[in-house]
Amino acid sequence: MTSQARQDLAVLTVPAFNDNYLWVIHDGVHAAVVDPGDAGPIQETLAEHHLTLSAILLTHHHADHIGGVPALLAQGSVPVFGPRNDGIEGITQALGEGERMKVPGLDLELEVLEVPGHTLGHIAYVRRTPGAHWLFCGDTLFAGGCGRLFEGTPAQMADSLAKLAALPDDTLVYCAHEYTVSNLRFAQAVEPDNQGLALRMKDASERRGTRLPTVPSTIGLERGTNPFLRYTEPGIVKSLMEAGRLKEGAAPVEAFAALREWKNVF
Ligand SMILES: [Zn+2]
């Protein structure tokens, strides 16, 4: 008989490698882990909080998101959820667009969105419980930025980000890296007059000054300050043209592509 009582669902932030965040969703007894690139920090977190792993959720095939799976499974078999089309071996429950899943061990239902761009099969997990909107988006949307286009096209990534931007403003964005300050530096370069962005940079810099995470952010904050959700804003289009990266009258997707390429060399 365990002395632990089940609590409301909570999410623990588990730093790993240089700048990754792994996420542990738990109710005080059971836990599901999102994108365990490294098993060690996950195992330490589970032990520290006396949690039993009940599921693994994966967003895409990169090693810093799946590398810890074999070591976690070696401790005990649990279901592994992941994208149907991203070439990950060992997934026991393959998922695609619009599918809903109940997370084993937890009172948690998530919906899956396909968000190709960073990789072709990348998925995101959305919790739509009123008052508790969550998004686990891997390397698609970052705080103040977006993932690199390793496999997909700019049009695919722009569509994927539009899906995420359509989520409620209070949706918490659990992205997989602490890139916020460098993302916001670029955002300020392309949208220098955005006052919300200036405030966000101040807040993020202060948090990083004391080594606090800047994530999760919210969809509302991203819509107001993330240039990759704002590439049709006149100020951003003007910056792209002044930098010689966009021609007059170009299509919106060309502005998105130009913005992503500029960030790659910023
Ligand atoms: Zn990745």
Side-chain angles (χ1 to χ4, degrees):
M1 189 68 187
T2 174
S3 60
Q4 286 181 270
R6 283 166 67 135
Q7 314 157 359
D8 286 346
L9 289 173
V11 182
L12 297 171
T13 308
V14 182
F17 307 115
N18 281 339
D19 51 32
N20 283 69
Y21 291 129
L22 324 179
W23 302 109
V24 172
I25 310 167
H26 75 95
D27 65 0
V29 178
H30 292 116
V33 58
V34 183
D35 283 354
D38 191 359
I42 293 294
Q43 286 161 335
E44 285 167 26
T45 300
L46 295 175
E48 184 187 336
H49 294 266
H50 310 288
L51 299 169
T52 302
L53 188 67
S54 58
I56 295 172
L57 279 60
L58 306 175
T59 63
H60 68 291
H61 69 77
H62 288 157
D64 62 327
H65 295 253
I66 67 171
V69 174
L72 291 174
L73 292 177
Q75 303 280 309
S77 179
V78 297
V80 181
F81 296 82
R84 181 164 291 127
N85 301 312
D86 213 43
I88 305 173
E89 283 179 27
I91 288 176
T92 59
Q93 322 273 333
L95 297 166
E97 179 72 21
E99 288 182 69
R100 289 167 182 278
M101 55 170 284
K102 287 199 186 302
V103 180
L106 300 177
D107 182 17
L108 175 62
E109 186 176 276
L110 298 173
E111 183 185 325
V112 172
L113 298 176
E114 290 182 354
V115 286
H118 179 69
T119 67
L120 283 176
H122 201 304
I123 61 172
Y125 299 89
V126 179
R127 183 188 191 199
R128 294 188 186 270
T129 304
H133 296 130
W134 296 350
L135 167 67
F136 297 93
C137 53
D139 288 351
T140 300
L141 175 65
F142 288 130
C146 75
R148 285 177 185 263
L149 300 182
F150 286 122
E151 298 176 12
T153 65
Q156 284 175 317
M157 188 57 139
D159 285 350
S160 295
L161 292 173
K163 266 187 212 179
L164 303 183
L167 295 170
D169 275 0
D170 65 355
T171 304
L172 294 171
V173 179
Y174 293 96
C175 59
H177 287 274
E178 178 63 62
Y179 291 157
T180 312
V181 169
S182 82
N183 284 339
L184 295 179
R185 207 169 284 134
F186 175 70
Q188 285 193 302
V190 300
E191 200 175 15
D193 296 333
N194 184 331
Q195 293 307 311
L197 185 51
L199 285 171
R200 187 179 187 185
M201 180 57 136
K202 183 170 177 294
D203 178 62
S205 300
E206 285 172 3
R207 293 186 75 81
R208 293 312 293 155
T210 49
R211 305 294 296 164
L212 286 171
T214 61
V215 294
S217 70
T218 65
I219 287 293
L221 187 57
E222 296 309 324
R223 286 168 57 88
T225 54
N226 187 325
F228 293 96
L229 304 184
R230 299 172 56 78
Y231 55 93
T232 58
E233 290 291 320
I236 293 183
V237 171
K238 180 164 161 274
S239 292
L240 286 166
M241 291 201 295
E242 283 174 359
R245 292 181 170 273
L246 194 67
K247 292 196 175 72
E248 183 97 45
V253 70
E254 293 177 72
F256 180 84
L259 200 59
R260 186 57 261 186
E261 281 170 27
W262 191 0
K263 176 64 168 67
N264 289 346
V265 296
F266 184 79

